[in-house]
Amino acid sequence: MAGLTGRQNEVLTLLAAGLSSKEVAFAIGISDSAVRQHAQAIRRCAEEITGRRFSNMLGAAFALVMAGEFQPEKIENAHERVARSIRD
């Protein structure tokens, strides 16, 4: 997402994959409170950019995770496509 740091994009990807904030913290070597701060910054950025549409998109992503239809190998490709479309 435009406007996010590399670390925030990393946190967003892992949270969307269904990891808890503690799991994300362990995975990338930062504190749980840092993960929560990144998540707050991500939410603020999302609200500024797209308002409720982002919430709906994120809800759909979590629904895929919960339904067992999440395919981690597709995250990186999707992330790159979105990043390119925002830049263009």
Side-chain angles (χ1 to χ4, degrees):
M1 178 186 320
L4 295 182
T5 66
R7 179 67 81 181
Q8 289 167 342
N9 275 310
E10 188 175 17
V11 168
L12 175 60
T13 299
L14 294 172
L15 290 172
L19 276 67
S20 70
S21 61
K22 287 182 182 182
E23 291 169 328
V24 171
F26 180 79
I28 61 178
I30 62 176
S31 69
D32 183 43
S33 63
V35 171
R36 285 183 269 131
Q37 289 174 352
H38 285 307
Q40 288 174 350
I42 292 164
R43 278 188 222 98
R44 282 192 303 273
C45 183
E47 288 169 3
E48 291 172 10
I49 295 172
T50 60
R52 295 217 177 259
R53 286 185 289 175
F54 178 79
S55 295
N56 293 339
M57 180 188 71
L58 192 56
F62 280 120
L64 287 174
V65 169
M66 298 308 291
E69 297 178 21
F70 174 71
Q71 298 176 353
E73 65 277 2
K74 293 187 178 181
I75 286 180
E76 187 171 322
N77 293 336
H79 181 271
E80 291 172 4
R81 285 193 310 271
V82 169
R84 275 195 303 272
S85 71
I86 291 170
R87 285 192 303 263
D88 295 341

